[in-house]
Amino acid sequence: MAAHAEAHHGPPIAHQSSRVNASVLGMLLFIASEIMLFGAFFTAYFFVRVVNGTPWPTPPFHLPVYVAFVNTCILVTSSFTMHWALQSVKRGNVFGLRAGLLLTFLMGLTFLITQGIEYSRLGFNTGDGAFATIFFCLTGLHGAHVFVGLTILAFMTTRAFRGHFSPEHHHGVEIGGIYWHFVDVMWIIVYTTVYIL
């Protein structure tokens, strides 16, 4: 009896009825809730632009489409380096893991800094009508998600350099990668909707 009590510490192992890992499923459900949040802002965008017929961008304002395109390329490339990091850790390639995470972090940081510089040079602010408000809400909400992603990446990169990940234990990289890919895909939708259409 004493040996059994000594062998079992803490809460019992959670029952898992899904083939998907519980932590991955949790991240996917979290992302589903974030998609709904973005959906609310896209609904506001739809009513301002389509239903009310507000010109986009409202004259005399202009959007820096080229700068945003370069920024989009940087963020999309960061998805490839994130994928490289995950595949590297699965194969036991420590250098690929560390380099992939570090490059992903630096590209994400470049994206966020460029967006901040873009904001300072736009020539309009949130109080300059519905167009400006929706623009800052959508791009700012995404920027906040990039910041959260960078925080996750910073922890993942630190752990990678401390040797915490292995081919058998890489869920931290996988889950952070899922979030980062979500951030990238969401930016493609925001960029296409706000800057191109």
Side-chain angles (χ1 to χ4, degrees), residues 18-33:
S18 172
R19 290 178 185 234
V20 180
N21 182 284
S23 53
V24 172
L25 182 61
M27 179 54 78
L28 293 175
L29 291 173
F30 172 71
I31 286 172
S33 72

Side-chain angles (χ1 to χ4, degrees), residues 34-35 37-39 41-42 45 49 56 63 65 68-69 72 75 111 115 118-119 134-146 182-197:
E34 295 302 289
I35 290 170
L37 176 63
F38 274 97
F41 285 93
F42 277 114
Y45 162 86
R49 188 168 177 187
W56 194 273
L63 293 175
V65 178
F69 173 74
T72 301
L75 201 61
F111 174 89
Q115 189 175 41
E118 176 191 344
Y119 278 1
I134 295 299
F135 171 82
F136 279 107
C137 282
L138 274 171
T139 58
L141 178 65
H142 180 268
H145 281 77
V146 172
F182 157 71
V183 167
D184 289 359
V185 170
M186 191 52 67
W187 175 252
I188 292 170
I189 297 168
V190 170
Y191 171 72
T192 304
T193 305
V194 172
Y195 290 87
I196 303 298
L197 299 180

